[in-house]
Amino acid sequence: QVQLVESGGGLVRAGGSLRLSCAASGRTFSSCTMGWFRQAPGKDREFVAGISRSGDRTYYQDSVKGRFTISRDNAENTGYLQMTSLKPEDTAVYYCAADRSYRRSGISTRGRDYDYWGQGTQVTVSS
C-alpha cells in the first residue's frame, strides 16, 4: 500500500515557476512508476509526466516538454514536478500517482493503470 500527499501548489503569474512534491508512505514506493496528472475545470484528467522506478526514464506530455521536469528521490520516498515558464493553460489540480505494475511498454499515460493517488494540489497561473 502506498499513500501519496502532494504539496507545493499555489498561485503564480504566467512565466513563473513552481515545484510540486509528492510524499509517499509505504515501503513499495521505489517499486512503483510515478506519474503526475492534472485536471482543469470542465476537462478530463490528463497525463503530464511520468518517471520509471529507478528514475532513469521519463516521459512527458508534448505541451509540457522543455518546461516541466519530473524527478524522484527513492531514499526520501518523494517525487517532484518542477514547473517553469508556466502558462494560464497549466491551471489545474495536479495529482501524483503510483503504478505498481511492471509494463513492457514503459511508463503508462493512462490514469486507470495507476493504483494509488494523492488528493491533489491546486495550481493557478494568472495571465
Side-chain angles (χ1 to χ4, degrees):
Q1 187 78 6
V2 177
Q3 293 182 323
L4 305 172
V5 179
E6 303 95 336
S7 61
L11 173 64
V12 64
R13 289 187 175 183
S17 300
L18 282 174
R19 188 174 84 154
L20 305 183
S21 297
C22 176
S25 62
R27 296 181 293 175
T28 59
F29 175 69
S30 61
S31 63
C32 295
T33 297
M34 191 186 79
W36 285 94
F37 292 77
R38 67 187 180 187
Q39 186 166 21
K43 295 187 176 182
D44 293 334
R45 181 180 59 195
E46 63 176 0
F47 173 85
V48 175
I51 187 166
S52 62
R53 298 172 176 189
S54 65
D56 62 339
R57 289 177 290 118
T58 58
Y59 186 74
Y60 297 91
Q61 181 201 102
D62 285 347
S63 69
V64 307
K65 283 181 182 177
R67 300 189 299 122
F68 290 11
T69 302
I70 188 172
S71 62
R72 67 191 296 167
D73 184 339
N74 286 339
E76 296 294 328
N77 271 6
T78 304
Y80 303 96
L81 185 68
Q82 177 69 49
M83 305 185 294
T84 63
S85 301
L86 282 160
K87 304 175 181 179
E89 51 264 44
D90 294 318
T91 294
V93 177
Y94 283 71
Y95 299 90
C96 69
D99 174 5
R100 63 187 176 188
S101 299
Y102 170 76
R103 302 185 189 278
R104 284 190 172 185
S105 57
I107 298 166
S108 176
T109 63
R110 303 186 306 183
R112 63 174 182 262
D113 285 341
Y114 287 75
D115 304 286
Y116 309 108
W117 292 83
Q119 84 290 349
T121 185
Q122 176 70 47
V123 172
T124 303
V125 184
S126 63
S127 57

